[in-house]
Amino acid sequence: MLIKSLQLTSDSVSISYAYEQSNGFVDQLTLKSKDLPSAELRNAFSALKDIFLIQFREFCDFSDNLWLFKVNFKYSELEFDKLSLTGSLTFETGRSISFSTSWWYPDEKLISVETLLEEANRYVKGKRAQVNLFEVAEKAE
């Protein structure tokens, strides 16, 4: 499964991904859910802000008012290659801007991106903050 994009808001998760079927066909799917993400997924997504601020130092002075809410992934073969981030910045005046970065490869903290991709895969497979959706519950005897 290849995660194409991940969007987190305060009350929803949206993950677009490609999934290869056993017959060789590739399905492009989007999962939209109101189920809370696991703490691991939310923490991995939050780590993108540090990566963003390393790459785009001009935003460092505004880091308290910077909110990233979407990441897109590009692959070379089956390996993660580049990402693009979408977010917003709110100024003290109350005015805000939305932005999307061009495609770039994060030199620093690549492990954070890999962790985010792993957690997004787990979410698609049913791992949520509340429960694991697709695990068979054992009956207490």
Side-chain angles (χ1 to χ4, degrees):
M1 176 180 338
L2 295 178
I3 303 298
K4 299 290 193 164
S5 70
L6 168 61
Q7 183 170 347
L8 285 183
T9 64
S10 60
D11 65 349
S12 68
V13 176
S14 177
I15 302 175
S16 295
Y17 60 99
Y19 182 78
E20 186 172 353
Q21 298 292 332
S22 58
N23 60 9
F25 291 108
V26 177
D27 289 336
Q28 301 286 333
L29 304 167
T30 300
L31 169 68
K32 294 183 179 188
S33 178
K34 297 283 184 179
D35 289 338
L36 295 174
S38 65
E40 294 85 0
L41 177 57
R42 190 159 294 284
N43 290 340
F45 193 86
S46 295
L48 287 176
K49 186 174 180 179
D50 294 333
I51 296 170
F52 174 84
L53 291 172
I54 290 168
Q55 182 71 26
F56 300 96
R57 296 187 191 283
E58 301 84 0
F59 285 88
C60 287
D61 291 340
F62 307 104
S63 65
D64 291 342
N65 299 324
L66 178 69
W67 182 54
L68 300 174
F69 53 84
K70 185 176 183 182
V71 58
N72 295 300
F73 298 98
K74 209 179 243 190
Y75 295 85
S76 174
E77 302 284 326
L78 297 176
E79 296 294 319
F80 160 71
D81 186 39
K82 297 177 183 175
L83 60 82
S84 170
L85 294 168
T86 302
S88 65
L89 177 61
T90 304
F91 297 98
E92 292 175 3
T93 60
R95 299 176 91 187
S96 64
I97 60 169
S98 294
F99 62 88
S100 291
T101 68
S102 58
W103 291 103
W104 54 280
Y105 181 81
D107 297 327
E108 293 86 3
K109 298 190 179 183
L110 181 58
I111 193 157
S112 298
V113 176
E114 294 297 335
T115 301
L116 178 61
L117 290 169
E118 289 170 12
E119 290 302 324
N121 270 291
R122 286 187 186 105
Y123 189 89
V124 169
K125 292 176 181 175
K127 185 176 188 273
R128 308 292 200 274
Q130 300 89 340
V131 299
N132 289 331
L133 295 178
F134 303 115
E135 285 185 5
V136 178
E138 294 181 22
K139 293 183 180 180
E141 294 183 38

